[in-house]
Amino acid sequence: MTVELSVNLNAIAMLRNRRDLPWPSVTGIGRIALQAGAHGLTVHPRPDQRHIRFSDLPAIRALIDEEFPQAEFNIEGYPTPEFLALVAAARPEQVTLVPDDPAQPTSDHGWDFVADGAMLRPVVDELKSGGARVSLFADADPVQMSAAADTGCDRIELYTGPYGGTHSDPDAAKAEIERLGATADAAIGFGLGVNAGHDLTVENLPPLVARIPALAEVSIGHGLTADSLEHGMAETVRRFRRACGQAV
Ligand SMILES: CC(=O)[C@@H](O)[C@H](O)COP(=O)(O)O
Ligand SMILES: NCC(=O)COP(=O)(O)O
């Protein structure tokens, strides 16, 4: 199975928002990423619009529809009525629901599928009936996968932040990979697809992909954007695609 790369544009938008100027262009950089073979684009429109602005969503939708119809749009966020309205208008191929509080500096945990299942089930149903694939953000915890499947979601997205934090500790990295792998095995056993994301890099992707051969998609923004400052966006997308095991 090919591990697809979805490029997260949050950091590009964060840089753009530093000034009242239209560059760097979120759609312009997204175009370069798709031209270089990224499978799709990911955004996380947070309530304070600190990076991705609500107005970015129709522009990204139009870019994909008009120039890259085979690509996917993945929108992440907490399922407030405002977020669900943005999703209904943008018609993304995938929605990734995360349990983020608006005050969080970034996403740093997955759902408690036992406690949150009753809330998630109707939201998942609504999004799926609108035609989206639904992925739910998940910590590395195999025990939670039965309850995750009970939400009716299509996929989980493994939160790989703790793994990303082991960049200088090989033993801790191996332990995190095994926790992630065991969670993926459990999810697949319940018929779920598996995505992954947060703090993934060219260096830490290959061992994760080797442990989870059924991994469907990784969404990457921070590390990929950092590398693009050195290698350029097109070459960086190719480097990350190779790190996913794609023949580039
Ligand atoms: C869900 C996740 O881990 C990331 O995709 C998230 O979008 C990061 O958000 P920030 O870019 O705001 O840190
Ligand atoms: N879902 C993870 C994502 O889209 C990007 O996370 P990061 O690479 O910016 O940490």
Side-chain angles (χ1 to χ4, degrees):
M1 183 174 202
T2 300
V3 180
E4 300 291 6
L5 172 65
S6 184
V7 173
N8 184 306
L9 297 169
N10 292 356
I12 303 298
M14 182 77 83
L15 181 58
R16 177 204 54 199
N17 293 359
R18 290 185 71 246
R19 298 283 168 81
D20 186 19
L21 292 168
W23 59 82
S25 163
V26 167
T27 51
I29 300 299
R31 178 180 291 108
I32 294 169
L34 294 173
Q35 285 171 338
H39 174 68
L41 301 176
T42 291
V43 296
H44 192 148
R46 294 184 180 273
D48 61 10
Q49 301 187 71
R50 67 189 75 163
H51 39 54
I52 291 293
R53 293 170 177 154
F54 300 160
S55 59
D56 290 320
L57 303 190
I60 295 168
R61 179 75 272 168
L63 170 69
I64 291 174
D65 288 347
E66 293 164 14
E67 301 180 42
F68 303 92
Q70 80 292 345
E72 289 200 346
F73 193 10
N74 175 40
I75 302 179
E76 303 176 325
Y78 185 89
T80 62
E82 296 76 18
F83 175 79
L84 294 173
L86 288 172
V87 166
R91 300 175 290 100
E93 284 69 25
Q94 179 172 265
V95 180
T96 302
L97 299 180
V98 296
D100 287 8
D101 181 281
Q104 276 180 225
T106 187
S107 305
D108 60 12
H109 64 280
W111 292 99
D112 178 338
F113 292 107
V114 175
D116 300 324
M119 179 276 285
L120 286 168
R121 270 187 291 278
V123 175
V124 170
D125 285 347
E126 176 189 344
L127 291 168
K128 288 177 71 171
S129 64
R133 177 192 317 122
V134 179
S135 179
L136 300 181
F137 209 47
D139 294 316
D141 184 358
V143 173
Q144 283 260 340
M145 292 302 102
S146 174
D150 288 345
T151 68
C153 67
D154 299 290
R155 297 185 184 174
I156 58 154
E157 176 176 336
L158 292 168
Y159 167 48
T160 52
Y163 173 50
T166 66
H167 52 83
S168 58
D169 184 340
D171 291 338
K174 288 192 179 76
E176 281 300 326
I177 284 179
E178 198 34 52
R179 270 193 279 275
L180 291 162
T183 306
D185 293 345
I188 292 162
F190 284 106
L192 298 176
V194 180
N195 292 347
H198 208 94
D199 290 340
L200 292 174
T201 66
V202 162
E203 292 75 24
N204 68 25
L205 265 170
L208 182 69
V209 169
R211 175 60 183 83
I212 309 174
L215 187 60
E217 175 187 282
V218 290
S219 45
I220 307 175
H222 188 79
L224 187 148
T225 305
D227 282 11
S228 74
L229 299 176
E230 181 177 350
H231 302 285
M233 179 55 74
E235 178 54 22
T236 296
V237 167
R238 288 189 287 269
R239 294 175 81 244
F240 272 82
R241 289 179 59 205
R242 285 192 283 268
C244 287
Q246 293 184 32
V248 179

PDB file of all heavy atoms in Angstrom, residues 5 9 13 60 97 102 107-108 146 191 193-194 199 203 206-207 222 230 236:
ATOM      1  N   LEU A   5       1.131  11.284   0.866  1.00  0.00           N
ATOM      2  CA  LEU A   5       1.567  12.491   1.585  1.00  0.00           C
ATOM      3  C   LEU A   5       0.575  13.624   1.363  1.00  0.00           C
ATOM      4  O   LEU A   5       0.297  14.001   0.218  1.00  0.00           O
ATOM      5  CB  LEU A   5       2.952  12.930   1.090  1.00  0.00           C
ATOM      6  CG  LEU A   5       3.460  14.277   1.615  1.00  0.00           C
ATOM      7  CD1 LEU A   5       3.686  14.225   3.127  1.00  0.00           C
ATOM      8  CD2 LEU A   5       4.737  14.683   0.883  1.00  0.00           C
ATOM      9  N   LEU A   9      -0.696  23.123   5.221  1.00  0.00           N
ATOM     10  CA  LEU A   9      -0.325  24.502   4.851  1.00  0.00           C
ATOM     11  C   LEU A   9      -0.405  25.488   6.019  1.00  0.00           C
ATOM     12  O   LEU A   9      -0.235  26.697   5.832  1.00  0.00           O
ATOM     13  CB  LEU A   9      -1.213  24.975   3.701  1.00  0.00           C
ATOM     14  CG  LEU A   9      -1.067  24.196   2.394  1.00  0.00           C
ATOM     15  CD1 LEU A   9      -2.176  24.572   1.419  1.00  0.00           C
ATOM     16  CD2 LEU A   9       0.317  24.419   1.776  1.00  0.00           C
ATOM     17  N   ALA A  13       0.606  29.636   6.065  1.00  0.00           N
ATOM     18  CA  ALA A  13      -0.372  30.682   6.411  1.00  0.00           C
ATOM     19  C   ALA A  13       0.114  31.519   7.589  1.00  0.00           C
ATOM     20  O   ALA A  13      -0.095  32.735   7.638  1.00  0.00           O
ATOM     21  CB  ALA A  13      -1.723  30.041   6.735  1.00  0.00           C
ATOM     22  N   ILE A  60      -8.475  27.029  -1.745  1.00  0.00           N
ATOM     23  CA  ILE A  60      -7.815  25.725  -1.855  1.00  0.00           C
ATOM     24  C   ILE A  60      -8.738  24.732  -2.568  1.00  0.00           C
ATOM     25  O   ILE A  60      -8.302  23.947  -3.412  1.00  0.00           O
ATOM     26  CB  ILE A  60      -7.416  25.215  -0.462  1.00  0.00           C
ATOM     27  CG1 ILE A  60      -6.363  26.145   0.157  1.00  0.00           C
ATOM     28  CG2 ILE A  60      -6.865  23.782  -0.531  1.00  0.00           C
ATOM     29  CD1 ILE A  60      -6.117  25.902   1.637  1.00  0.00           C
ATOM     30  N   LEU A  97     -11.170  14.948  12.621  1.00  0.00           N
ATOM     31  CA  LEU A  97     -11.657  15.614  13.825  1.00  0.00           C
ATOM     32  C   LEU A  97     -10.645  15.456  14.950  1.00  0.00           C
ATOM     33  O   LEU A  97     -10.143  14.347  15.194  1.00  0.00           O
ATOM     34  CB  LEU A  97     -13.011  15.020  14.245  1.00  0.00           C
ATOM     35  CG  LEU A  97     -14.143  15.163  13.234  1.00  0.00           C
ATOM     36  CD1 LEU A  97     -15.424  14.522  13.785  1.00  0.00           C
ATOM     37  CD2 LEU A  97     -14.395  16.629  12.867  1.00  0.00           C
ATOM     38  N   PRO A 102      -9.838  25.607  21.833  1.00  0.00           N
ATOM     39  CA  PRO A 102      -9.367  26.769  21.056  1.00  0.00           C
ATOM     40  C   PRO A 102      -8.088  27.410  21.589  1.00  0.00           C
ATOM     41  O   PRO A 102      -7.305  27.971  20.837  1.00  0.00           O
ATOM     42  CB  PRO A 102     -10.546  27.749  21.153  1.00  0.00           C
ATOM     43  CG  PRO A 102     -11.736  26.887  21.361  1.00  0.00           C
ATOM     44  CD  PRO A 102     -11.260  25.722  22.177  1.00  0.00           C
ATOM     45  N   SER A 107      -2.150  20.820  18.361  1.00  0.00           N
ATOM     46  CA  SER A 107      -2.828  19.568  18.702  1.00  0.00           C
ATOM     47  C   SER A 107      -1.857  18.711  19.499  1.00  0.00           C
ATOM     48  O   SER A 107      -0.707  18.513  19.082  1.00  0.00           O
ATOM     49  CB  SER A 107      -3.245  18.833  17.424  1.00  0.00           C
ATOM     50  OG  SER A 107      -4.036  19.693  16.623  1.00  0.00           O
ATOM     51  N   ASP A 108      -2.294  18.203  20.645  1.00  0.00           N
ATOM     52  CA  ASP A 108      -1.344  17.465  21.487  1.00  0.00           C
ATOM     53  C   ASP A 108      -1.961  16.228  22.139  1.00  0.00           C
ATOM     54  O   ASP A 108      -1.385  15.655  23.066  1.00  0.00           O
ATOM     55  CB  ASP A 108      -0.737  18.379  22.564  1.00  0.00           C
ATOM     56  CG  ASP A 108      -1.806  18.965  23.498  1.00  0.00           C
ATOM     57  OD1 ASP A 108      -2.976  18.494  23.461  1.00  0.00           O
ATOM     58  OD2 ASP A 108      -1.454  19.883  24.255  1.00  0.00           O
ATOM     59  N   SER A 146     -11.440  -0.234  19.825  1.00  0.00           N
ATOM     60  CA  SER A 146     -12.801  -0.763  19.725  1.00  0.00           C
ATOM     61  C   SER A 146     -13.809   0.383  19.793  1.00  0.00           C
ATOM     62  O   SER A 146     -14.725   0.495  18.973  1.00  0.00           O
ATOM     63  CB  SER A 146     -13.061  -1.758  20.853  1.00  0.00           C
ATOM     64  OG  SER A 146     -14.417  -2.165  20.837  1.00  0.00           O
ATOM     65  N   GLY A 191     -11.248  -2.945  11.305  1.00  0.00           N
ATOM     66  CA  GLY A 191     -11.689  -2.501   9.984  1.00  0.00           C
ATOM     67  C   GLY A 191     -11.444  -1.034   9.701  1.00  0.00           C
ATOM     68  O   GLY A 191     -12.000  -0.467   8.759  1.00  0.00           O
ATOM     69  N   GLY A 193      -9.082   2.299   8.677  1.00  0.00           N
ATOM     70  CA  GLY A 193      -7.871   2.722   7.992  1.00  0.00           C
ATOM     71  C   GLY A 193      -7.016   3.513   8.970  1.00  0.00           C
ATOM     72  O   GLY A 193      -7.493   3.936  10.033  1.00  0.00           O
ATOM     73  N   VAL A 194      -5.740   3.700   8.626  1.00  0.00           N
ATOM     74  CA  VAL A 194      -4.799   4.371   9.527  1.00  0.00           C
ATOM     75  C   VAL A 194      -4.044   5.482   8.802  1.00  0.00           C
ATOM     76  O   VAL A 194      -3.363   5.229   7.806  1.00  0.00           O
ATOM     77  CB  VAL A 194      -3.797   3.366  10.131  1.00  0.00           C
ATOM     78  CG1 VAL A 194      -2.807   4.077  11.064  1.00  0.00           C
ATOM     79  CG2 VAL A 194      -4.536   2.271  10.903  1.00  0.00           C
ATOM     80  N   ASP A 199       4.609  16.298  13.800  1.00  0.00           N
ATOM     81  CA  ASP A 199       6.055  16.248  14.033  1.00  0.00           C
ATOM     82  C   ASP A 199       6.749  15.101  13.305  1.00  0.00           C
ATOM     83  O   ASP A 199       7.775  14.584  13.770  1.00  0.00           O
ATOM     84  CB  ASP A 199       6.370  16.207  15.528  1.00  0.00           C
ATOM     85  CG  ASP A 199       6.056  17.549  16.205  1.00  0.00           C
ATOM     86  OD1 ASP A 199       5.974  18.579  15.489  1.00  0.00           O
ATOM     87  OD2 ASP A 199       5.879  17.560  17.428  1.00  0.00           O
ATOM     88  N   GLU A 203      13.510  12.071   8.499  1.00  0.00           N
ATOM     89  CA  GLU A 203      14.302  11.110   9.274  1.00  0.00           C
ATOM     90  C   GLU A 203      13.434  10.091  10.001  1.00  0.00           C
ATOM     91  O   GLU A 203      13.747   8.908  10.050  1.00  0.00           O
ATOM     92  CB  GLU A 203      15.184  11.848  10.306  1.00  0.00           C
ATOM     93  CG  GLU A 203      16.299  12.692   9.690  1.00  0.00           C
ATOM     94  CD  GLU A 203      15.790  13.976   9.074  1.00  0.00           C
ATOM     95  OE1 GLU A 203      14.703  14.457   9.475  1.00  0.00           O
ATOM     96  OE2 GLU A 203      16.469  14.484   8.156  1.00  0.00           O
ATOM     97  N   PRO A 206      10.694   6.792   7.762  1.00  0.00           N
ATOM     98  CA  PRO A 206      10.948   5.413   7.290  1.00  0.00           C
ATOM     99  C   PRO A 206      10.727   4.325   8.336  1.00  0.00           C
ATOM    100  O   PRO A 206      10.039   3.340   8.041  1.00  0.00           O
ATOM    101  CB  PRO A 206      12.404   5.480   6.813  1.00  0.00           C
ATOM    102  CG  PRO A 206      12.577   6.906   6.389  1.00  0.00           C
ATOM    103  CD  PRO A 206      11.798   7.709   7.397  1.00  0.00           C
ATOM    104  N   PRO A 207      11.189   4.474   9.580  1.00  0.00           N
ATOM    105  CA  PRO A 207      10.923   3.374  10.534  1.00  0.00           C
ATOM    106  C   PRO A 207       9.436   3.241  10.892  1.00  0.00           C
ATOM    107  O   PRO A 207       8.957   2.145  11.146  1.00  0.00           O
ATOM    108  CB  PRO A 207      11.738   3.746  11.777  1.00  0.00           C
ATOM    109  CG  PRO A 207      12.300   5.081  11.563  1.00  0.00           C
ATOM    110  CD  PRO A 207      12.132   5.463  10.145  1.00  0.00           C
ATOM    111  N   HIS A 222       4.803  21.087   9.748  1.00  0.00           N
ATOM    112  CA  HIS A 222       5.908  21.820  10.387  1.00  0.00           C
ATOM    113  C   HIS A 222       7.278  21.395   9.863  1.00  0.00           C
ATOM    114  O   HIS A 222       8.049  22.219   9.367  1.00  0.00           O
ATOM    115  CB  HIS A 222       5.850  21.628  11.901  1.00  0.00           C
ATOM    116  CG  HIS A 222       6.830  22.487  12.628  1.00  0.00           C
ATOM    117  ND1 HIS A 222       6.615  23.835  12.871  1.00  0.00           N
ATOM    118  CD2 HIS A 222       8.064  22.205  13.135  1.00  0.00           C
ATOM    119  CE1 HIS A 222       7.671  24.331  13.497  1.00  0.00           C
ATOM    120  NE2 HIS A 222       8.552  23.371  13.678  1.00  0.00           N
ATOM    121  N   GLU A 230      15.200  25.178   3.121  1.00  0.00           N
ATOM    122  CA  GLU A 230      16.556  24.772   2.682  1.00  0.00           C
ATOM    123  C   GLU A 230      16.528  24.178   1.274  1.00  0.00           C
ATOM    124  O   GLU A 230      17.373  24.487   0.444  1.00  0.00           O
ATOM    125  CB  GLU A 230      17.111  23.724   3.665  1.00  0.00           C
ATOM    126  CG  GLU A 230      18.519  23.246   3.333  1.00  0.00           C
ATOM    127  CD  GLU A 230      19.058  22.264   4.361  1.00  0.00           C
ATOM    128  OE1 GLU A 230      18.427  22.099   5.436  1.00  0.00           O
ATOM    129  OE2 GLU A 230      20.115  21.657   4.083  1.00  0.00           O
ATOM    130  N   THR A 236      11.449  19.310  -1.513  1.00  0.00           N
ATOM    131  CA  THR A 236      11.091  18.804  -0.177  1.00  0.00           C
ATOM    132  C   THR A 236       9.936  17.812  -0.260  1.00  0.00           C
ATOM    133  O   THR A 236       9.958  16.774   0.404  1.00  0.00           O
ATOM    134  CB  THR A 236      10.736  19.978   0.750  1.00  0.00           C
ATOM    135  OG1 THR A 236      11.889  20.801   0.934  1.00  0.00           O
ATOM    136  CG2 THR A 236      10.259  19.475   2.111  1.00  0.00           C
TER     137      THR A 236
END
